[in-house]
Amino acid sequence: INAEYMGTLSECLFFFAMRLKREAKISLLALVGIFIAGYALHTEQQLQRRPFFKPHCDVGWASCTEVFKSSYAHILSHWGIVPKGHPLDLSLATSGILIYSLYFVYPMLRWLPHRELLYLLLSFAGCGFSCFLLYVLKFVLREFCIVCTSFHIVNFTMLILIGFEFRAAYRSTRNHKVE
């Protein structure tokens, strides 16, 4: 594959992404999040089963292994909300799959009252949690995790998309009240 072809391919993908409706972009971004979370879950499981497993996300300057093996990977037990090993002691990867699945069904929930506001609140919570986890990565664990950073990029991008959705819904509601 030459560089000219890759330029054309990336231009086509960019044009395609720009033409999608915002709801479709939310679902597509949610699929990216589900894929990343699925990889993280697979990696966590392999690390538990195979002591010498080396995941692809471990490179010289970054280590997802150290992050996934830390107590922060199961935040509810880390905070003492549930005991370690409890059924509700979900890993961040499992929680990610659940949250991104909620984002994925966003376009199908038009019947839900205040859907945009609920998803905006969910996005703000996700970004707040991402800020906390970025702090933990940088200052507590002193690691860089490619997979974790991908989660955070998805979360912040999702907030932007949901923010536009909320603004459009708010304007639409306000315009109907004026008439």
Side-chain angles (χ1 to χ4, degrees):
I1 298 177
N2 63 26
E4 183 178 314
Y5 173 76
M6 288 305 291
T8 306
L9 179 62
S10 63
E11 290 167 5
C12 288
L13 289 173
F14 178 76
F15 180 74
F16 173 73
M18 296 306 293
R19 300 288 301 164
L20 284 174
K21 289 186 176 183
R22 202 168 22 250
E23 286 183 338
K25 290 177 186 177
I26 290 169
S27 289
L28 187 62
L29 188 59
L31 283 176
V32 170
I34 290 169
F35 174 78
I36 295 167
Y39 174 76
L41 185 61
H42 167 75
T43 302
E44 286 176 356
Q45 291 171 345
Q46 291 302 312
L47 288 169
Q48 289 173 353
R49 291 183 191 140
R50 298 170 43 202
F52 299 107
F53 177 70
K54 175 134 171 67
H56 296 293
C57 54
D58 276 358
V59 291
W61 47 274
S63 173
C64 61
T65 298
E66 294 303 316
V67 176
F68 292 164
K69 285 184 172 183
S70 79
S71 64
Y72 289 96
H74 290 260
I75 200 71
L76 294 180
S77 63
H78 175 78
W79 286 340
I81 296 172
V82 298
K84 190 167 181 61
H86 188 275
L88 292 177
D89 186 25
L90 302 176
S91 70
L92 292 177
T94 303
S95 301
I97 291 171
L98 295 173
I99 295 295
Y100 294 127
S101 295
L102 279 175
Y103 283 125
F104 181 74
V105 298
Y106 174 80
M108 298 168 234
L109 299 177
R110 290 191 180 111
W111 55 268
L112 185 66
H114 308 292
R115 168 185 75 144
E116 294 82 6
L117 176 61
L118 293 171
Y119 274 82
L120 184 66
L121 294 173
L122 178 66
S123 294
F124 271 121
C127 286
F129 192 59
S130 278
C131 288
F132 167 74
L133 291 175
L134 284 166
Y135 170 82
V136 168
L137 275 174
K138 175 72 176 162
F139 297 107
V140 177
L141 299 176
R142 297 175 191 254
E143 288 289 345
F144 181 79
C145 172
I146 296 169
V147 175
C148 306
T149 302
S150 301
F151 278 133
H152 305 316
I153 290 169
V154 169
N155 287 343
F156 290 115
T157 306
M158 192 65 79
L159 177 62
I160 292 168
L161 291 174
I162 296 289
F164 283 130
E165 278 290 295
F166 176 78
R167 186 179 71 175
Y170 174 75
R171 285 183 176 169
S172 173
T173 304
R174 193 176 66 191
N175 289 341
H176 287 316
K177 288 181 182 177
V178 170
E179 295 172 0

